[in-house]
Amino acid sequence: MRAIPVASVALLGAAALSACVPAGAAPGGGSTFGFTLSPATVAPGGEVTLGVGRAAGGCEGRVTVSSPVFDTVTIPRHESSATARVDRDAGRGAVYEVTFACGGRTETLELTVAGGHSGHPTHHPRHPDKGVHAGEGGSVAGFDVTEIGLGALLVAGSVGAAYHLSRRRSGEDAA
């Protein structure tokens, strides 16, 4: 009779994990053919990942991706993604169309260039182009560290509660 508690823990864990995924992070990002653009907002000079959801009824051949803000990129048939670097002179706060073309089908997603200016120079005159550019300002792959921590706490708590309840019930059966 151990299968029931194990199945309960597995289902509870899967439900908790699925609840931790933000609504906008679902694969496909609203695209009919499963094309993705990540992140949807990027700073000038930043990189975007262009994805193709081939398993979800998407394209079978190579995909050509074009936009006024980066050079045209071709995603080969057996690849699911490629990267493109946004022009450094892209208009801050502007929204650009990114067009995916495959087998006579086209679809357009929007790419927003991050706006505003921090007042800090992005290019130090003494040390041009040296060192590593810092990350996303305290986030990991677009997620807030607090959200990740709370999600992990939720999963750990639900698994611990399920384990505790299954052990307590097993002890009642033996008595």
Side-chain angles (χ1 to χ4, degrees):
M1 286 292 156
R2 280 195 166 241
I4 293 174
V6 171
S8 298
V9 170
L11 287 174
L12 188 59
L17 284 175
S18 67
C20 295
V21 176
S31 169
T32 305
F33 301 117
F35 299 126
T36 59
L37 177 64
S38 177
T41 302
V42 66
E47 281 191 354
V48 292
T49 301
L50 312 165
V52 180
R54 298 187 194 276
C59 296
E60 296 301 323
R62 69 183 187 156
V63 178
T64 303
V65 186
S66 60
S67 176
V69 76
F70 57 77
D71 294 331
T72 299
V73 175
T74 300
I75 304 173
R77 180 178 183 187
H78 299 291
E79 297 290 326
S80 61
S81 67
T83 59
R85 182 165 302 277
V86 174
D87 296 335
R88 289 194 178 277
D89 60 350
R92 291 182 178 271
V95 177
Y96 293 93
E97 290 186 348
V98 177
T99 304
F100 292 79
C102 173
R105 297 186 272 185
T106 61
E107 188 164 357
T108 303
L109 298 178
E110 291 184 345
L111 174 65
T112 304
V113 178
H117 183 63
S118 64
H120 300 290
T122 56
H123 178 28
H124 196 282
R126 283 188 181 164
H127 305 286
D129 300 326
K130 286 192 174 182
V132 177
H133 294 283
E136 295 281 326
S139 67
V140 178
F143 293 108
D144 185 5
V145 176
T146 305
E147 290 176 355
I148 293 172
L150 289 173
L153 185 63
L154 176 66
V155 171
S158 63
V159 169
Y163 177 77
H164 174 71
L165 290 173
S166 69
R167 297 296 294 167
R168 197 171 88 191
R169 190 168 285 170
S170 295
E172 291 173 358
D173 292 342

